[in-house]
Amino acid sequence: MGLAKVYSSAVLGIDAYSVEVEVDIAKGLPSFNTVGLPDVAVKESKDRVKAAIKNSDFKFPTKRITVNLAPADVKKEGSLFDLPIALGILAATGQIEKAEFKKYVILGELSLDGGIRSIPGALPIALAGQKEGREGIILPLDNRAEAAVVKGLNVYPVENLSQTVDFLAGKTEIEPFSLDLEGVFERGREYKVDFTDVKGQEHAKRALEVAAAGGHNVIMIGPPGSGKTMLARRFPTILPDMTLEEALETTKIHSIAGLVPPQTALIATRPFRSPHHTASDIALLQ
């Protein structure tokens, strides 16, 4: 019947790498097979893709469908391949004409009605797309601010499958989302707490100030309620301001973990984590 290739990306560690989503539709008994070391979430995409295509008023082929995620020797995780797989099926069956997939990195999770949900890892994927020389990235609407941090890459936010198809077919236009990076960086430096909130504890505050000035480690020992967590939570507010490079690295980690708040472009404050004292080694690393 047809073959189509859509370009997407996946996260490995804190960096992203390119993934080619190849879709082949052939004659035979109806089936949907995904190869290329997919995890459970990727394998389950066939049900989401099938429902999204039908509910977006497109035709789902009753043929033998084979989806290959290359490189095939690296495990693929997550639901971000839903959108490129659906587009590959539509292109292979001729329902999308003249789509120049090579220009874009495409990613997004599909809902059953054809809507596109946000995905983790948008920032490292956008950075990888920029390095590869892609013209733009097509991604969920909720991830637009995060990806727009990357300069030199057009960000095209989409809300549903139909809108994406019309954009790729040239039937509609989507204005690239832009962001005032410097302004966002400056506004994002505000902390919700402040070191000046602490009254008393002069010796402890002096020790933290010395540690902040010299870049030293600190261990705080004391009975419950003596103020250890309160002081530790406010310690980042007296550290030097983050540079833009540090903010990008911090945001990449938050992005992969899915911890970037909605509509937030950049994490510009030094992060504070407060694991419980009974946490195991494995729990600390997760």
Side-chain angles (χ1 to χ4, degrees), residues 153-180:
L153 185 72
N154 291 325
V155 177
Y156 298 99
V158 289
E159 298 183 69
N160 53 62
L161 180 60
S162 298
Q163 181 190 19
T164 309
V165 170
D166 290 342
F167 171 69
L168 290 169
K171 296 179 181 179
T172 185
E173 291 186 4
I174 299 176
E175 288 294 325
F177 182 79
S178 59
L179 192 70
D180 178 13

Side-chain angles (χ1 to χ4, degrees), residues 265-278:
L266 203 62
I267 304 295
T269 55
R270 296 195 179 275
F272 171 77
R273 306 293 291 171
S274 182
H276 195 263
H277 67 274
T278 61

Side-chain angles (χ1 to χ4, degrees), residues 9-12 17-21 34-43 68-81:
S9 189
V11 174
L12 184 64
Y17 63 97
S18 178
V19 174
E20 295 182 5
V21 181
T34 304
V35 296
L37 289 182
D39 72 347
V40 176
V42 179
K43 289 180 180 179
N68 178 43
L69 305 175
D73 58 342
V74 182
K75 188 174 182 178
K76 316 300 185 308
E77 299 178 346
S79 56
L80 72 167
F81 298 112

Side-chain angles (χ1 to χ4, degrees), residues 196-227:
T196 58
D197 297 338
V198 183
K199 306 302 179 184
Q201 300 277 16
E202 299 302 329
H203 291 294
K205 289 194 291 185
R206 176 59 179 166
L208 291 177
E209 290 167 0
V210 172
H216 306 300
N217 297 320
V218 177
I219 180 169
M220 288 185 282
I221 301 173
S226 60

